[in-house]
Amino acid sequence: MHLVLGIDTGGTYTDAVLYDTETGRVMASGKAQTTRDDLSVGISAVMDTLPPDLLKQIESLSLSTTLATNACVEDKGGRAKLIFIGAERPVVEETGAKYGLPPASEIFFLDAEIQFDGTVAREPDWDAFLRDIPPFLEGADSLAVVSFQGIKNPTLEQKAKKLLLDHFGMFTVCGHELFWSLNYIKRGASTLLNARLIPVITDFLAAIHKNLESRGISVPIVIVRSDGTLMSEEFSLERPVETILCGPAASVLGGVALSGAENCAIVDMGGTTTDIALVKKGVPVKGDGGVSIGKWDTFVDSVYIHTIGLGGDSWVKLAKPGEQADGLEIGPQRVMPLCAAAARWPWVREDLADLVERMPVSTHPLHEFFCLVRDISGDPHYTAQEQAVCKALQQGAMRIDKLAEAAGADLYTLNTKRLESEGLILRCGFTPTDAMHIRGDFTRFDGEASRLAAEFLSHQLEITPDGFCVRVANRVKKELFIHVIQAMLENLSPAFRKDGLNGGLARVIEAAWDNQDAPNPLLHFFPRTEMTLVGIGASTHLFLPDVAKALGAECVIPENAAVANALGAVTGRVSATVTAQILPAGASEEDGCYICTPRQRIFTEDYENAFLLAEETARKEAEEEARRRGAKGEILVTSHDSSQSARVGQEAVNSHDLILTESVTATASGSAGF
């Protein structure tokens, strides 16, 4: 027996599975609630569900998490800042926002002149840089440095990083260390996001180690990357951005292993998000052009995942009059379900009962509460009101109107936006999980609190509490139906990946759902698919069968579906890909060329043998990178060449191909030692 422990920490639940790699059997599994204020509590709880004698026999630990995914969706993370070198400020101002960058006023621009081949025509004034940068660093806990043409010549990024470390001790990550693609603005956004996610992955790993040490367990740790491969713990601390879809990637691997379906759409509904992936002939469909999630458009490689802010803990709100036919808005933000809040703080139910008794009319969500995640009392970076809010919440959750009063404000002047966005406080509100408690589908927490909240909300819609819960469930199913179709359309055409559903098509798809039981609709439009819908995640079985029925598809909810993410974490391999570009040298070096890789820029006068040098360099760096990511034993290395050319000349007899770029890509893969 060769036991591996897989742990998946999601926004709502933490799952664990003990897997015997020799027999392919799940020996034990467990589930516990994720505790965001202290992740180690939830991790300890899930490990306590496993047989202690088996737990002591594990030989390695594989992790996946949706914490980074959720941070992107909810726009949360550390206080990272971006430094651009040689960038054109007007271009950044015009295009930066579409990649997720902050306003240009919040970016430091370091002036330099860099040519398109990476040659530095004029270096920055480093003395002025050291003199001018300190005010920009205030309030930052990490930095991202990206230069124009940095993938062709990383020396300026490397020098800036050394100066920032030597003079200010700032943790700094460079764009060339992470990504090897053109478009320095997108590379800047990807690198900034990496820096923002460092506290997220650091806290996660600290919680893991706390629990391992308390049990006397010392084993190697690997983490699933967004492309479904694995990386070592040390590597993940440098590149947390590569975990932004590691939870969904693990769920795809687990879904394939559990269902055995060769052609399927895997639908993984968690607490915060729902992830939809496609599998063809047993192989997950890969993403194209990098991960886009929340406001961020990145260069992170991944399996294809269509992610939406819909889950058991999605925030259910009353829509403005006339905006939604059912009167509801769901997500994308996650909140603590009121049933869970009341189970932790009993006075939540009492305050809800008070509301139902009085039924006050207000444009504010009087049934909602806030709770403290991390205290910032005394921190000068926050306003007096923000500090007062956190101080008032030290004793537990507080209803929004009472919190306003305690903070010396009212419902119109209370501002919790920054505290929520930075994850310092958490809103408690009505969610699909609350509706499940009322309908009896899930009864873990205080269902009476959910019923009181539904009574208060349904009164405003002039329907019954049961009718309100039916609306919530139907809305979740409808959103799943729409997005399963959108995921398939995105796979059919790149245009849908870029632009999404246009208004007309979206309305047609909505009508297909709304009219499926109508006796005589004006137009019959019922989309169909032969792909199997595979549901994983704790609550998917409540919603997906009706979606599959509407699509004329088979629905499979496999055994151990609730812990598929944790199972997927132990089925991956370590892989690394390196591309070496061959670039002509400048006019002064006309007989030579450069070999450019993420690590170095090599000049050679031997242009005829440049391809062999590029292949040798790429293969060597790919193998070294695979080792650094955690690959053990024998490494398999493959390589292929590619080139971009343009047809020169208009007459067939005189035309010829002009080679624009040549490159060699090497991929190294190996076992993580399971």
Side-chain angles (χ1 to χ4, degrees), residues 31-338:
K31 183 180 290 285
Q33 189 173 14
T34 296
T35 48
R36 285 199 174 193
D37 52 339
D38 185 352
L39 293 172
S40 65
V41 174
I43 293 168
S44 177
V46 78
M47 292 180 72
D48 285 343
T49 67
L50 303 174
D53 57 326
L54 292 180
L55 197 57
K56 291 180 180 179
Q57 298 180 46
I58 65 169
E59 299 184 39
S60 55
L61 170 61
S62 187
L63 305 171
S64 68
T65 178
T66 60
L67 293 174
T69 309
N70 298 341
C72 294
V73 171
E74 299 172 4
D75 195 22
K76 295 179 180 179
R79 293 182 170 184
K81 293 186 177 182
L82 173 63
I83 298 172
F84 266 138
I85 304 175
E88 298 182 29
R89 188 182 184 113
V91 177
V92 175
E93 290 176 339
E94 181 179 350
T95 64
K98 79 174 187 176
Y99 298 108
L101 287 179
S105 60
E106 299 177 20
I107 300 171
F108 190 93
F109 289 85
L110 182 56
D111 187 41
E113 186 177 343
I114 307 168
Q115 297 176 359
F116 281 94
D117 66 353
T119 301
V120 179
R122 176 172 53 82
E123 284 217 11
D125 184 335
W126 296 111
D127 291 334
F129 172 66
L130 292 174
R131 183 179 65 248
D132 298 339
I133 196 67
F136 179 76
L137 301 181
E138 291 183 5
D141 52 28
S142 57
L143 298 172
V145 177
V146 173
S147 69
F148 176 70
Q149 298 300 336
I151 62 172
K152 297 178 180 177
N153 186 354
T155 55
L156 296 185
E157 291 182 7
Q158 293 166 343
K159 189 166 186 176
K161 177 177 180 176
K162 186 175 188 306
L163 290 172
L164 290 164
L165 288 171
D166 291 347
H167 289 265
F168 307 104
M170 293 292 296
F171 180 88
T172 306
V173 62
C174 299
H176 78 274
E177 296 171 332
L178 304 174
F179 306 104
W180 193 240
S181 301
L182 291 172
N183 188 338
Y184 72 92
I185 299 178
K186 185 173 181 177
R187 194 163 64 252
S190 305
T191 309
L192 175 61
L193 178 59
N194 185 81
R196 279 172 55 97
L197 292 175
I198 288 169
V200 177
I201 200 68
T202 300
D203 289 349
F204 176 50
L205 288 169
I208 291 290
H209 277 286
K210 181 179 179 179
N211 278 281
L212 292 179
E213 291 167 6
S214 69
R215 290 169 168 79
I217 299 173
S218 178
V219 293
I221 297 175
V222 294
I223 301 180
V224 180
R225 298 172 68 235
S226 297
D227 62 0
T229 63
L230 303 176
M231 60 181 166
S232 68
E233 174 187 9
E234 295 76 17
F235 192 84
S236 71
L237 288 168
E238 298 175 14
R239 303 191 184 185
V241 73
E242 295 192 4
T243 71
I244 60 175
L245 285 185
C246 84
S251 75
V252 176
L253 299 176
V256 171
L258 288 170
S259 69
E262 286 203 341
N263 298 290
C264 59
I266 295 176
V267 181
D268 180 13
M269 176 176 281
T272 307
T273 60
T274 293
D275 304 308
I276 303 168
L278 304 179
V279 177
K280 295 182 177 180
K281 297 182 179 179
V283 179
V285 173
K286 298 292 185 180
D288 182 25
V291 174
S292 294
I293 184 168
K295 72 175 186 178
W296 299 94
D297 186 7
T298 77
F299 277 129
V300 177
D301 291 329
S302 75
V303 297
Y304 166 75
I305 302 285
H306 179 87
T307 299
I308 56 175
L310 179 70
D313 293 352
S314 290
W315 187 12
V316 177
K317 299 176 286 184
L318 298 183
K320 294 179 181 179
E323 285 193 353
Q324 298 289 341
D326 57 11
L328 301 177
E329 289 184 20
I330 298 185
Q333 301 94 331
R334 170 193 178 269
V335 299
M336 180 184 290
L338 289 168

Side-chain angles (χ1 to χ4, degrees), residues 370 385 389 403 414-421 425 427:
F370 283 100
Q385 185 189 99
V389 165
L403 178 61
L414 180 67
N415 187 347
T416 61
K417 185 175 181 180
R418 182 162 72 148
L419 295 176
E420 288 186 79
S421 68
I425 66 174
R427 188 181 294 263

